[in-house]
Amino acid sequence: MEPFFTERLVMRPYTLNDYEEYIRQMERRKHSQHQYDEGYIDMKGFTKEMFQEKLDRFQRWAEDDHVYVWALFKKENGELIGHTDLMVLSRGDTQWGVTGYALHNQFWGEGFGTEALKGLTNIAFEKLKLHRLEAQINLDNEASIKTAKRAGFEYECVRKNFLFENGCWTDHVIYVKTKTETSAV
């Protein structure tokens, strides 16, 4: 996967050279801001070899056209601010994928999530040739819902008992964008 550039971001696969920046930003996280934020993560014991295993897994997933992961770096200074991912749910007649996005909480509130999701949408439709992209969001995750809306995704439905999380089945709201709705991002 080649790098993709937005106004303020470089979106690209992680490399082993990102290890120290990955550790630095994980440890710079603030305490959890809400239930969907992991907050500070103690990275002691997370070795370079473990990071390489993660990268190898990401590479296999991409080679299988199953999951793609892009690290998000600020253009201005190279800081790692989070990642975005795309899971291909179906090819053939549907060309359908689902997106995920996560920023380190020290970078929240600056519009990077929306910018990254718009960039991912462009990659999904132009590079990966998907037609439909979904954001599947917990009903009470207001920040993620706002990000999807600002990126041009539209409300579609609520899926009841959709995902098994924290020991129970949870409902999720679905926001969707299709290629026919997409103009230049």
Side-chain angles (χ1 to χ4, degrees), residues 134-171:
E134 287 186 2
Q136 304 167 344
I137 306 167
N138 290 86
L139 297 178
D140 58 349
N141 191 340
E142 294 176 22
S144 190
I145 290 170
K146 286 179 185 176
T147 298
K149 286 180 177 179
R150 284 192 300 259
F153 283 63
E154 295 183 7
Y155 171 84
E156 183 175 77
C157 65
V158 171
R159 290 197 182 129
K160 300 288 186 184
N161 296 312
F162 183 60
L163 287 176
F164 194 75
E165 299 176 310
N166 302 318
C168 64
W169 289 99
T170 58
D171 299 344

Side-chain angles (χ1 to χ4, degrees), residues 93-108:
D93 292 341
T94 56
Q95 298 299 327
W96 175 27
V98 62
T99 181
Y101 36 93
L103 296 182
H104 298 305
N105 62 16
Q106 66 267 30
F107 299 106
W108 288 2

